[in-house]
């Protein structure tokens, strides 16, 4: 059954982790010399590819964990820790080391199409986003999986719209404005990460749930 509160919470978590606002400067750098039409096409292809990657993990993530005999509780703890590290980088407005490296970004500029690599993966659908959808969609509840899928669709629609207007937004926000938004989202992500870890610890150590 669809629950708006759960959908909004899921969308917020995904949007913060994908962080299209913080990705605008990198998107502009990778698409330097592109026309506005080429940038919009690149933004569309990257957003669609990232959505498809996360959609696959929504429905197959639990099977992957089962294959490696990893409990969802353990994955929540590890995933929360990863997201917390990402949050710390965002709070300092640093480029994320968990997404792509400078050599990878430099190499990508020489390719004809950068929409799949590195834009879709790992910049948009990176380890943090993949971890989040597996954690949120874990279990047998099919309605929750479709809720997460809908939140993914909205996240990447917003990403496409933001990247399509990247040049205008960069001029409007400036470096200071963009850094401020990234720091605010980093604070929110830190809280979400701690919640993941707490829930995971309760699953790993049932005694923590209390009476």
């Amino acid at each position: 059954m669809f629950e708006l509160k759960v959908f909004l919470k899921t969308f917020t978590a995904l949007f913060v982790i994908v962080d299209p606002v913080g990705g605008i400067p990198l998107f502009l750098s990778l698409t330097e010399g592109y026309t506005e039409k080429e940038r919009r096409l690149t933004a569309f292809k990257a957003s669609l590819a990232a959505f498809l990657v996360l959609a696959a993990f929504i429905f197959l993530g639990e099977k992957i964990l089962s294959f490696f005999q990893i409990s969802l509780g353990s994955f929540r703890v590890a995933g929360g820790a990863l997201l917390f590290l990402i949050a710390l980088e965002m709070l300092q407005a640093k480029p994320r080391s968990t997404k792509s490296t400078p050599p990878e970004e430099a190499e990508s500029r020489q390719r004809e199409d950068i929409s799949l690599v590195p834009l879709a993966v790992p910049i948009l659908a990176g380890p943090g986003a993949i971890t989040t959808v597996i954690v949120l969609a874990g279990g047998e509840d099919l309605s929750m999986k479709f809720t997460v899928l809908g939140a993914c669709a909205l996240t990447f629609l917003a990403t496409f719209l933001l990247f399509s207007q990247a040049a205008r937004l960069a001029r409007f926000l400036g470096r200071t404005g963009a850094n401020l938004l990234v720091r605010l989202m980093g604070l929110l992500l830190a809280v979400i990460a701690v919640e993941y870890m707490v829930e995971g610890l309760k699953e790993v150590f049932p005694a923590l749930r209390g009476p």
Side-chain angles (χ1 to χ4, degrees), residues 139-203:
E140 300 297 328
D141 188 349
L142 197 59
S143 65
M144 187 59 192
K145 293 184 187 296
F146 280 105
T147 298
V148 177
L149 186 68
C152 275
L154 184 58
T155 296
F156 289 113
L157 174 60
T159 299
F160 165 66
L161 294 174
L162 287 169
F163 278 5
S164 295
Q165 302 298 319
R168 294 183 181 87
L169 287 170
R171 288 193 296 268
F172 175 74
L173 291 173
R175 174 62 65 180
T176 302
N179 285 346
L180 176 61
L181 284 177
V182 169
R183 285 189 169 98
L184 289 174
M185 290 193 290
L187 178 60
L188 183 58
L189 180 57
V191 175
I192 293 171
V194 170
E195 185 177 326
Y196 286 174
M197 285 189 283
V198 170
E199 289 301 316
L201 287 170
K202 287 180 180 178
E203 292 180 32

Side-chain angles (χ1 to χ4, degrees), residues 2-3 62 64 77 206:
F2 179 80
E3 292 186 24
E62 192 175 5
I64 295 172
V77 175

